[in-house]
Amino acid sequence: MELLFVCLGNICRSPAAEAIMKKKLADLWPQCTGVVVDSAGIGSWHEGQLPDSRMRRHGAARGYDVSSIARQVKAEDFARFDYIFGMDHENMAALRRLARNEGERAKVMCAADFMTRHPQYDTVPDPYYGGDEGFELALDLIEDACDGIIGRLFTVR
């Protein structure tokens, strides 16, 4: 199984989601060794860069290695990945436009739809232009979404 997390620039939310999902799978589901987790951005502005230093710092404080290198989402990602999770409504709309057919569009899901502990949020807000509290909120929401995704995709029923 291959999972892709997507945000606007691939320097805050999606690399955090990649790091959180990788850690949760390693810690809670070590038998899921074949799962690939990656992240990408809608835009190319930050390609080749490390995630925002604030997200790396806040993630590290929670035990996450938020260090993937930014890249832009590509058409091939729709063929490669089983699930593509957008972080907000704009990301979702852009991903649906990039998808070439209904099968590819069916892979696109909103990460927030998997949250159970934060029903007042229907997206993971972009913390880039805010302060520390925005990064902490984003991490709280992403942790919730990752727990929900794991519960839906990996829990044996």
Side-chain angles (χ1 to χ4, degrees), residues 35-108:
V35 178
V36 172
V37 182
D38 196 4
S39 64
I42 297 297
S44 62
W45 315 281
H46 302 290
E47 273 190 307
Q49 297 177 13
L50 283 168
D52 185 286
S53 62
R54 297 166 294 174
M55 185 56 83
R56 288 183 305 186
R57 180 171 34 89
H58 286 276
R62 296 185 187 207
Y64 303 119
D65 177 17
V66 184
S67 63
S68 60
I69 301 300
R71 71 174 185 87
Q72 186 174 22
V73 68
K74 306 178 292 245
E76 305 86 67
D77 289 331
F78 289 90
R80 175 182 173 196
F81 290 93
D82 300 298
Y83 299 95
I84 300 172
F85 299 100
M87 293 292 145
D88 63 32
H89 300 301
E90 289 178 10
N91 304 151
M92 295 294 296
L95 287 166
R96 288 187 180 117
R97 283 191 303 273
L98 290 169
R100 296 167 291 203
N101 56 54
E102 278 305 312
E104 290 183 352
R105 276 187 285 284
K107 295 179 177 189
V108 176

Side-chain angles (χ1 to χ4, degrees), residues 22-38:
K22 283 179 176 177
K23 182 162 178 35
K24 285 182 176 288
L25 288 174
D27 291 352
L28 303 172
W29 296 89
Q31 69 274 25
C32 294
T33 56
V35 178
V36 172
V37 182
D38 196 4

